[in-house]
């Protein structure tokens, strides 16, 4: 046993913690180990077993019995724990000895708080692995009263309605700016905001329904209730709107996946501003709109509204797309501000007040002036939605700097309580929450200690009028991490074939660009990929696979492209930024 602990600590721990009386079992093991060590000095080594470890067991009559090596011993204990311990948990769990009172009985093996991307994925996987799972999802209405169904931010007020509206604006662009050159005569084309919202909301409601059916099929119990911790193993559930609760439930483990909500605008009259929680379900057209903020949500909303023909201004306090590559952010800003796209930007200014006028319009005073708008859309960032959880009752601690839940591998300060998705300090993206949720369940209930979420090299796309996809480090971060002397940037401008019949002005203003940042001291390892152009999400998704496999610049340029595509641009990057040469694409077909 002693050598097994050295060689295979996780497996031995897994055996030990499954024993019904852990303390007595550990004491017995230690005592046996001493005894067997003494005995071993006098004993003959078992003839049929030539490698370490040698594992013995003291059976009831006190005679040591040779069990075998590591595999035999694990098989022995697996068999034993299966028959002696009636439990709903997997017989061999991972090394995280997380439950304080293993023998106690609880209403649920797992309660997941939050039915968004992370919570849904985690609960379904846990149920698949034999756990008795309760999923809570409750939407607190936005200050303007918007609510929605099961599925969380992504499906109701995030990625999905946003991408559908982005698509609507791309269609508008094609109709108004490109169709004629491609032979189409589309006269009298007009846009109907309310029809779009109805179609988007139909799509959302059908997803809400599908989620409910999936939970039922996968045997996850869903309750449309708000969860609040009473203590470290109890949650109080309420739904005031439906006059349900309060009711207490106990759990062996809990996962907090409550996501985030838009930060309110704390200026006089800030309550008149709508947010991304409201825009996708609002049937009145927003009209002339002021977007406050320069986050990706701000620029995406400004972009699709402008593409639909609304007069849009963005009020920017400091930089566009903080946290993203600033060279790329400026290129996006330049295109959005161009005559072709037509978004106005007011830089270096913040709101002072919003006054609602008698006709319903909003008079906005900001540090650089004042103006009247039909709508103000506040997109100044998001906060973690922990308010109603009563985390102190459970003992879960927050990061004082960000207000998000502190975790290590999703485990909070309370070992049997976990957190994931937008509520922790991780990239705020749906696939991140989904992946982390699935892996956590596999780790906890599927006996897979290797199922650990890797938060690096996560690709993402900003769906602005010119789309931006990226993976890995920004140019500034790459320089900071590898040193300027080791960084080389290959870049290129390009014109997608799809645009080649469009007006020259349109093509010139909508500048497509790609850059790959490499570390020359690590065999030209690609540290960052940045792409500005059509279908950025599709292109970047594929590149992220290569980067995850540590692709180098040579791998990129030795890849044979698909012609004619925009993605093929990364297979022919030959001009470095350092060289100062013009990075415009050469002729298209050879
Ligand atoms: P959420 O999906 O937010 O789910 C949390 C759920 O928990 C919510 O339903 C909430 O109401 C509920 N809840 C909160 N408190 C309680 C409680 N006490 N009891 C019960 N239930 C509770 N990501 C991308 O990858 N791509 C995109 O293109 C993209 N676009 C976006 C566009 C917008 C406008 C926004 C706002 C976000 C976008 N995101 C995008 C981000 C993505 O939506 C989030 O990263 C993702 O939804 C986070 O999932 P989650 O499970 O952490 O939380």
């Amino acid at each position: 046993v002693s050598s097994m602990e050295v060689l295979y600590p996780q497996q031995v721990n897994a055996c030990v913690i499954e024993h019904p009386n852990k303390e007595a079992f550990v004491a017995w093991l230690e005592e046996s180990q001493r005894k067997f060590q003494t005995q071993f000095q006098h004993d003959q080594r078992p003839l049929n077993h030539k490698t370490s470890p040698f594992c013995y067991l003291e059976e009831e009559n006190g005679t040591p019995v040779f069990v075998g090596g590591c595999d035999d011993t694990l098989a022995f204990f697996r068999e034993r724990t299966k028959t002696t311990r009636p439990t709903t948990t997997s017989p061999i769990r991972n090394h995280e000895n997380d439950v304080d009172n293993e023998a106690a009985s609880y209403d649920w093996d797992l309660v997941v708080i939050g039915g968004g991307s992370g919570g849904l994925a985690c609960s379904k996987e846990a149920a698949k692995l034999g756990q008795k799972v309760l999923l809570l999802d409750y939407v607190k209405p936005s200050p303007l009263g918007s609510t929605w169904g099961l599925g969380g931010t992504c499906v109701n007020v995030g990625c999905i309605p946003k991408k559908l509206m982005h698509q609507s604006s791309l269609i508008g662009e094609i109709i108004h700016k490109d169709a004629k050159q491609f032979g189409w005569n589309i006269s009298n084309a007009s846009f109907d905001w309310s029809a779009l919202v109805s179609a988007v909301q139909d799509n959302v409601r059908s997803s809400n329904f599908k989620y409910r059916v999936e939970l039922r099929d996968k045997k996850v119990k869903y309750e449309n209730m708000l969860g609040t911790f009473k203590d470290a193993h109890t949650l109080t559930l309420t739904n005031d709107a439906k006059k349900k609760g309060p009711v207490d439930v106990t759990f062996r483990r809990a996962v907090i996946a409550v996501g985030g909500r838009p930060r309110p605008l704390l200026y006089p009259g800030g309550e008149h501003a709508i947010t991304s929680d409201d825009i996708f379900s609002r049937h009145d057209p927003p009209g002339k709109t002021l977007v406050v903020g320069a986050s990706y949500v701000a620029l995406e909303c400004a972009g699709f509204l402008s593409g639909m023909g609304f007069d849009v201004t963005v009020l920017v306090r400091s930089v566009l797309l903080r946290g993203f590559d600033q060279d790329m952010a400026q290129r996006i800003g330049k295109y959005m501000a161009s005559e072709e796209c037509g978004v106005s930007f007011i830089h270096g200014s913040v709101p002072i007040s919003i006054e609602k006028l008698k006709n319903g319009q909003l008079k906005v005073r900001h540090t650089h002036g004042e103006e009247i708008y039909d709508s103000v859309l506040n997109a100044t960032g998001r906060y973690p939605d922990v308010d109603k959880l009563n985390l102190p009752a459970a003992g879960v601690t927050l990061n004082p700097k960000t207000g998000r839940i502190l975790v290590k591998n999703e485990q909070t300060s309370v070992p049997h309580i976990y957190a994931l998705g937008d509520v922790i300090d991780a990239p705020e993206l749906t696939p991140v929450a989904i992946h982390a949720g699935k892996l956590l369940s596999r780790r906890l209930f599927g006996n897979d200690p290797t199922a650990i979420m890797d938060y690096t090299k996560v690709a993402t796309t900003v769906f602005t009028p010119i789309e931006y996809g990226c993976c890995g480090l920004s140019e500034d971060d790459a320089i900071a991490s590898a040193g300027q002397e080791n960084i080389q940037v290959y870049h290129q401008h390009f014109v997608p074939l799809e645009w080649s019949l469009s007006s020259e002005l349109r093509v010139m203003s909508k500048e497509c660009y790609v850059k790959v940042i490499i570390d020359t001291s690590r065999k030209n390892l690609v540290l960052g990929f940045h792409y500005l152009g059509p279908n950025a999400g599709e292109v970047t998704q594929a590149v992220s696979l290569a980067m995850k496999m540590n692709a180098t610049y040579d791998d990129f340029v030795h890849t044979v492209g698909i012609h004619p595509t925009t993605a093929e641009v990364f297979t022919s990057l030959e001009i470095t930024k350092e060289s100062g040469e013009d990075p415009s694409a050469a002729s298209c077909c050879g």
Side-chain angles (χ1 to χ4, degrees), residues 185-247:
N185 180 6
I186 303 176
S187 40
N188 298 328
S190 64
F191 173 70
D192 182 344
W193 168 267
S194 178
L196 171 67
V197 168
S198 295
V200 167
Q201 288 305 310
D202 283 351
N203 181 283
V204 168
R205 274 190 291 274
S206 101
S207 298
N208 298 148
F209 178 72
K210 279 185 204 150
Y211 285 130
R212 292 180 80 124
V213 172
E214 260 185 45
L215 288 179
R216 198 192 56 207
D217 290 352
K218 301 227 156 112
K219 310 227 170 348
V220 174
K221 172 78 176 151
Y222 159 60
E223 289 284 3
N224 177 209
M225 304 278 264
L226 180 79
T228 306
F229 284 102
K230 190 172 179 181
D231 59 47
H233 279 286
T234 314
L235 277 157
T236 303
L237 316 189
T238 48
N239 183 334
D240 290 344
K242 291 188 180 164
K243 298 199 172 43
K244 279 166 70 184
V247 58

Side-chain angles (χ1 to χ4, degrees), residues 518 522-526 546 550-557:
I518 65 165
R522 293 164 73 194
K523 298 186 178 152
N524 294 343
L525 180 74
V526 176
N550 294 324
T552 62
Y553 166 75
D554 309 300
D555 295 323
F556 271 48
V557 291

